[in-house]
Amino acid sequence: MKRLGSVITTTAKGRGLPVSAQHTETGVVIPLSLERKQKAVARLLEVNNPSTVDKSLVSSLESITGYPVIEDSIVRYKAHGADIIVTGYQITVDDEATCDRAIDAVQSSLVPMPVEEIRKQLIILSTLVVKPSGESSSDMSVRIKSISNQLIEFPADIVNTAIQNVSRETTFWPAYAEFYKHIGYKVKKRLKLLETLTAKKLAFLQQKQ
């Protein structure tokens, strides 16, 4: 009998790094429409809390599939304590249609902000920090464009909170690494969920052959 529940955490041996979100290139995943992307971005920015988005996403997947989502993780001990690192998920899916709905939900959590919006936020940030000595407005424009083109690869809520965190923490104009340290570990859970579901989708497609 199907049962719903909160995330169950188990330990597992380390696995590979999260796959990228570019499964659409393989034909396994159908890209979201422009309208769906716009609605997804609006929702992500409304919540503006990656942890809350992750919890809501898992709950949605459990509702869609009718089964609990089981989180596999490993514990790495360090001098300051222990870090729990998510290595993957166990998701039960009964049919391809349900799998498609679950993938759609995860894709919605991965939609980035429009690059123009990212640039606007970085321009505001540039007024709050000390700019590099002797740098012209043209130089700063190049920096903003370069960082924006990197941040466009990540979910809207995670990027938005990363920019907010950097604005509170830094005095001088930040390097890209200062943004990414607030992004990389947060996006991995969503990519692992997508990785698991696309593997399920591929299995359903192979059964048809």
PDB file of all heavy atoms in Angstrom, residues 38-59:
ATOM      1  N   GLN A  38       8.297  31.496 -16.359  1.00  0.00           N
ATOM      2  CA  GLN A  38       8.004  32.780 -15.732  1.00  0.00           C
ATOM      3  C   GLN A  38       7.265  32.592 -14.412  1.00  0.00           C
ATOM      4  O   GLN A  38       7.571  33.267 -13.416  1.00  0.00           O
ATOM      5  CB  GLN A  38       7.181  33.651 -16.684  1.00  0.00           C
ATOM      6  CG  GLN A  38       7.961  34.123 -17.909  1.00  0.00           C
ATOM      7  CD  GLN A  38       7.090  34.827 -18.928  1.00  0.00           C
ATOM      8  OE1 GLN A  38       5.870  34.631 -18.985  1.00  0.00           O
ATOM      9  NE2 GLN A  38       7.703  35.664 -19.763  1.00  0.00           N
ATOM     10  N   LYS A  39       6.313  31.671 -14.401  1.00  0.00           N
ATOM     11  CA  LYS A  39       5.574  31.396 -13.173  1.00  0.00           C
ATOM     12  C   LYS A  39       6.492  30.773 -12.119  1.00  0.00           C
ATOM     13  O   LYS A  39       6.378  31.076 -10.919  1.00  0.00           O
ATOM     14  CB  LYS A  39       4.395  30.464 -13.462  1.00  0.00           C
ATOM     15  CG  LYS A  39       3.261  31.118 -14.236  1.00  0.00           C
ATOM     16  CD  LYS A  39       2.111  30.144 -14.450  1.00  0.00           C
ATOM     17  CE  LYS A  39       0.962  30.814 -15.192  1.00  0.00           C
ATOM     18  NZ  LYS A  39      -0.179  29.889 -15.430  1.00  0.00           N
ATOM     19  N   ALA A  40       7.398  29.909 -12.564  1.00  0.00           N
ATOM     20  CA  ALA A  40       8.319  29.247 -11.641  1.00  0.00           C
ATOM     21  C   ALA A  40       9.259  30.261 -10.991  1.00  0.00           C
ATOM     22  O   ALA A  40       9.490  30.225  -9.780  1.00  0.00           O
ATOM     23  CB  ALA A  40       9.126  28.182 -12.378  1.00  0.00           C
ATOM     24  N   VAL A  41       9.784  31.190 -11.798  1.00  0.00           N
ATOM     25  CA  VAL A  41      10.677  32.224 -11.261  1.00  0.00           C
ATOM     26  C   VAL A  41       9.938  33.087 -10.243  1.00  0.00           C
ATOM     27  O   VAL A  41      10.463  33.391  -9.162  1.00  0.00           O
ATOM     28  CB  VAL A  41      11.243  33.106 -12.392  1.00  0.00           C
ATOM     29  CG1 VAL A  41      11.943  34.329 -11.815  1.00  0.00           C
ATOM     30  CG2 VAL A  41      12.214  32.309 -13.239  1.00  0.00           C
ATOM     31  N   ALA A  42       8.710  33.471 -10.572  1.00  0.00           N
ATOM     32  CA  ALA A  42       7.917  34.302  -9.666  1.00  0.00           C
ATOM     33  C   ALA A  42       7.696  33.589  -8.341  1.00  0.00           C
ATOM     34  O   ALA A  42       7.796  34.202  -7.258  1.00  0.00           O
ATOM     35  CB  ALA A  42       6.572  34.651 -10.315  1.00  0.00           C
ATOM     36  N   ARG A  43       7.432  32.301  -8.409  1.00  0.00           N
ATOM     37  CA  ARG A  43       7.208  31.523  -7.197  1.00  0.00           C
ATOM     38  C   ARG A  43       8.487  31.386  -6.375  1.00  0.00           C
ATOM     39  O   ARG A  43       8.478  31.555  -5.145  1.00  0.00           O
ATOM     40  CB  ARG A  43       6.678  30.128  -7.571  1.00  0.00           C
ATOM     41  CG  ARG A  43       6.533  29.156  -6.403  1.00  0.00           C
ATOM     42  CD  ARG A  43       5.591  29.686  -5.353  1.00  0.00           C
ATOM     43  NE  ARG A  43       5.451  28.745  -4.248  1.00  0.00           N
ATOM     44  CZ  ARG A  43       4.938  29.068  -3.057  1.00  0.00           C
ATOM     45  NH1 ARG A  43       4.504  30.303  -2.840  1.00  0.00           N
ATOM     46  NH2 ARG A  43       4.846  28.162  -2.100  1.00  0.00           N
ATOM     47  N   LEU A  44       9.593  31.098  -7.037  1.00  0.00           N
ATOM     48  CA  LEU A  44      10.871  30.945  -6.338  1.00  0.00           C
ATOM     49  C   LEU A  44      11.269  32.236  -5.631  1.00  0.00           C
ATOM     50  O   LEU A  44      11.737  32.208  -4.487  1.00  0.00           O
ATOM     51  CB  LEU A  44      11.968  30.527  -7.323  1.00  0.00           C
ATOM     52  CG  LEU A  44      11.868  29.114  -7.903  1.00  0.00           C
ATOM     53  CD1 LEU A  44      12.923  28.909  -8.984  1.00  0.00           C
ATOM     54  CD2 LEU A  44      12.022  28.056  -6.815  1.00  0.00           C
ATOM     55  N   LEU A  45      11.072  33.363  -6.292  1.00  0.00           N
ATOM     56  CA  LEU A  45      11.450  34.640  -5.712  1.00  0.00           C
ATOM     57  C   LEU A  45      10.471  35.083  -4.629  1.00  0.00           C
ATOM     58  O   LEU A  45      10.832  35.821  -3.712  1.00  0.00           O
ATOM     59  CB  LEU A  45      11.556  35.715  -6.803  1.00  0.00           C
ATOM     60  CG  LEU A  45      12.677  35.486  -7.828  1.00  0.00           C
ATOM     61  CD1 LEU A  45      12.685  36.606  -8.862  1.00  0.00           C
ATOM     62  CD2 LEU A  45      14.032  35.392  -7.136  1.00  0.00           C
ATOM     63  N   GLU A  46       9.224  34.623  -4.744  1.00  0.00           N
ATOM     64  CA  GLU A  46       8.242  34.926  -3.704  1.00  0.00           C
ATOM     65  C   GLU A  46       8.624  34.234  -2.403  1.00  0.00           C
ATOM     66  O   GLU A  46       8.579  34.830  -1.321  1.00  0.00           O
ATOM     67  CB  GLU A  46       6.846  34.479  -4.150  1.00  0.00           C
ATOM     68  CG  GLU A  46       5.764  34.716  -3.102  1.00  0.00           C
ATOM     69  CD  GLU A  46       4.410  34.165  -3.515  1.00  0.00           C
ATOM     70  OE1 GLU A  46       4.340  33.477  -4.551  1.00  0.00           O
ATOM     71  OE2 GLU A  46       3.433  34.420  -2.794  1.00  0.00           O
ATOM     72  N   VAL A  47       9.006  32.980  -2.503  1.00  0.00           N
ATOM     73  CA  VAL A  47       9.428  32.230  -1.313  1.00  0.00           C
ATOM     74  C   VAL A  47      10.793  32.734  -0.840  1.00  0.00           C
ATOM     75  O   VAL A  47      11.007  32.989   0.346  1.00  0.00           O
ATOM     76  CB  VAL A  47       9.498  30.718  -1.626  1.00  0.00           C
ATOM     77  CG1 VAL A  47      10.019  29.948  -0.411  1.00  0.00           C
ATOM     78  CG2 VAL A  47       8.119  30.195  -2.033  1.00  0.00           C
ATOM     79  N   ASN A  48      11.733  32.842  -1.793  1.00  0.00           N
ATOM     80  CA  ASN A  48      13.071  33.394  -1.544  1.00  0.00           C
ATOM     81  C   ASN A  48      13.770  32.751  -0.348  1.00  0.00           C
ATOM     82  O   ASN A  48      14.448  33.427   0.432  1.00  0.00           O
ATOM     83  CB  ASN A  48      13.002  34.914  -1.356  1.00  0.00           C
ATOM     84  CG  ASN A  48      14.343  35.583  -1.578  1.00  0.00           C
ATOM     85  OD1 ASN A  48      15.080  35.210  -2.483  1.00  0.00           O
ATOM     86  ND2 ASN A  48      14.667  36.566  -0.749  1.00  0.00           N
ATOM     87  N   ASN A  49      13.605  31.455  -0.224  1.00  0.00           N
ATOM     88  CA  ASN A  49      14.267  30.703   0.841  1.00  0.00           C
ATOM     89  C   ASN A  49      14.561  29.307   0.306  1.00  0.00           C
ATOM     90  O   ASN A  49      13.666  28.457   0.252  1.00  0.00           O
ATOM     91  CB  ASN A  49      13.373  30.630   2.085  1.00  0.00           C
ATOM     92  CG  ASN A  49      14.054  29.960   3.257  1.00  0.00           C
ATOM     93  OD1 ASN A  49      14.709  28.926   3.119  1.00  0.00           O
ATOM     94  ND2 ASN A  49      13.911  30.543   4.444  1.00  0.00           N
ATOM     95  N   PRO A  50      15.794  29.039  -0.121  1.00  0.00           N
ATOM     96  CA  PRO A  50      16.128  27.743  -0.738  1.00  0.00           C
ATOM     97  C   PRO A  50      15.759  26.537   0.102  1.00  0.00           C
ATOM     98  O   PRO A  50      15.304  25.527  -0.431  1.00  0.00           O
ATOM     99  CB  PRO A  50      17.645  27.842  -0.945  1.00  0.00           C
ATOM    100  CG  PRO A  50      17.877  29.307  -1.145  1.00  0.00           C
ATOM    101  CD  PRO A  50      16.943  29.973  -0.175  1.00  0.00           C
ATOM    102  N   SER A  51      15.930  26.622   1.399  1.00  0.00           N
ATOM    103  CA  SER A  51      15.585  25.495   2.267  1.00  0.00           C
ATOM    104  C   SER A  51      14.090  25.211   2.231  1.00  0.00           C
ATOM    105  O   SER A  51      13.664  24.049   2.152  1.00  0.00           O
ATOM    106  CB  SER A  51      16.023  25.791   3.701  1.00  0.00           C
ATOM    107  OG  SER A  51      15.679  24.723   4.567  1.00  0.00           O
ATOM    108  N   THR A  52      13.283  26.263   2.264  1.00  0.00           N
ATOM    109  CA  THR A  52      11.823  26.106   2.198  1.00  0.00           C
ATOM    110  C   THR A  52      11.409  25.548   0.845  1.00  0.00           C
ATOM    111  O   THR A  52      10.526  24.684   0.759  1.00  0.00           O
ATOM    112  CB  THR A  52      11.128  27.459   2.441  1.00  0.00           C
ATOM    113  OG1 THR A  52      11.469  27.928   3.744  1.00  0.00           O
ATOM    114  CG2 THR A  52       9.614  27.320   2.336  1.00  0.00           C
ATOM    115  N   VAL A  53      12.056  26.021  -0.225  1.00  0.00           N
ATOM    116  CA  VAL A  53      11.760  25.515  -1.564  1.00  0.00           C
ATOM    117  C   VAL A  53      12.074  24.025  -1.644  1.00  0.00           C
ATOM    118  O   VAL A  53      11.295  23.235  -2.193  1.00  0.00           O
ATOM    119  CB  VAL A  53      12.562  26.288  -2.633  1.00  0.00           C
ATOM    120  CG1 VAL A  53      12.439  25.596  -4.004  1.00  0.00           C
ATOM    121  CG2 VAL A  53      12.070  27.723  -2.737  1.00  0.00           C
ATOM    122  N   ASP A  54      13.204  23.611  -1.088  1.00  0.00           N
ATOM    123  CA  ASP A  54      13.597  22.199  -1.116  1.00  0.00           C
ATOM    124  C   ASP A  54      12.578  21.323  -0.387  1.00  0.00           C
ATOM    125  O   ASP A  54      12.191  20.254  -0.870  1.00  0.00           O
ATOM    126  CB  ASP A  54      14.975  22.008  -0.485  1.00  0.00           C
ATOM    127  CG  ASP A  54      16.097  22.547  -1.357  1.00  0.00           C
ATOM    128  OD1 ASP A  54      15.847  22.829  -2.547  1.00  0.00           O
ATOM    129  OD2 ASP A  54      17.226  22.675  -0.848  1.00  0.00           O
ATOM    130  N   LYS A  55      12.153  21.774   0.790  1.00  0.00           N
ATOM    131  CA  LYS A  55      11.178  21.007   1.570  1.00  0.00           C
ATOM    132  C   LYS A  55       9.847  20.907   0.832  1.00  0.00           C
ATOM    133  O   LYS A  55       9.210  19.851   0.807  1.00  0.00           O
ATOM    134  CB  LYS A  55      10.979  21.648   2.945  1.00  0.00           C
ATOM    135  CG  LYS A  55      12.183  21.535   3.862  1.00  0.00           C
ATOM    136  CD  LYS A  55      11.950  22.257   5.188  1.00  0.00           C
ATOM    137  CE  LYS A  55      13.175  22.181   6.083  1.00  0.00           C
ATOM    138  NZ  LYS A  55      12.981  22.941   7.352  1.00  0.00           N
ATOM    139  N   SER A  56       9.428  22.008   0.242  1.00  0.00           N
ATOM    140  CA  SER A  56       8.182  22.027  -0.523  1.00  0.00           C
ATOM    141  C   SER A  56       8.281  21.119  -1.741  1.00  0.00           C
ATOM    142  O   SER A  56       7.313  20.424  -2.094  1.00  0.00           O
ATOM    143  CB  SER A  56       7.862  23.458  -0.952  1.00  0.00           C
ATOM    144  OG  SER A  56       6.688  23.502  -1.740  1.00  0.00           O
ATOM    145  N   LEU A  57       9.448  21.107  -2.370  1.00  0.00           N
ATOM    146  CA  LEU A  57       9.655  20.257  -3.546  1.00  0.00           C
ATOM    147  C   LEU A  57       9.543  18.787  -3.189  1.00  0.00           C
ATOM    148  O   LEU A  57       8.879  18.012  -3.894  1.00  0.00           O
ATOM    149  CB  LEU A  57      11.032  20.546  -4.157  1.00  0.00           C
ATOM    150  CG  LEU A  57      11.460  19.668  -5.336  1.00  0.00           C
ATOM    151  CD1 LEU A  57      10.454  19.781  -6.484  1.00  0.00           C
ATOM    152  CD2 LEU A  57      12.860  20.060  -5.806  1.00  0.00           C
ATOM    153  N   VAL A  58      10.176  18.381  -2.108  1.00  0.00           N
ATOM    154  CA  VAL A  58      10.110  16.981  -1.678  1.00  0.00           C
ATOM    155  C   VAL A  58       8.662  16.598  -1.350  1.00  0.00           C
ATOM    156  O   VAL A  58       8.193  15.517  -1.730  1.00  0.00           O
ATOM    157  CB  VAL A  58      11.028  16.737  -0.466  1.00  0.00           C
ATOM    158  CG1 VAL A  58      10.744  15.364   0.162  1.00  0.00           C
ATOM    159  CG2 VAL A  58      12.493  16.821  -0.878  1.00  0.00           C
ATOM    160  N   SER A  59       7.952  17.494  -0.661  1.00  0.00           N
ATOM    161  CA  SER A  59       6.543  17.224  -0.346  1.00  0.00           C
ATOM    162  C   SER A  59       5.714  17.067  -1.613  1.00  0.00           C
ATOM    163  O   SER A  59       4.835  16.193  -1.699  1.00  0.00           O
ATOM    164  CB  SER A  59       5.968  18.361   0.516  1.00  0.00           C
ATOM    165  OG  SER A  59       6.586  18.415   1.776  1.00  0.00           O
TER     166      SER A  59
END
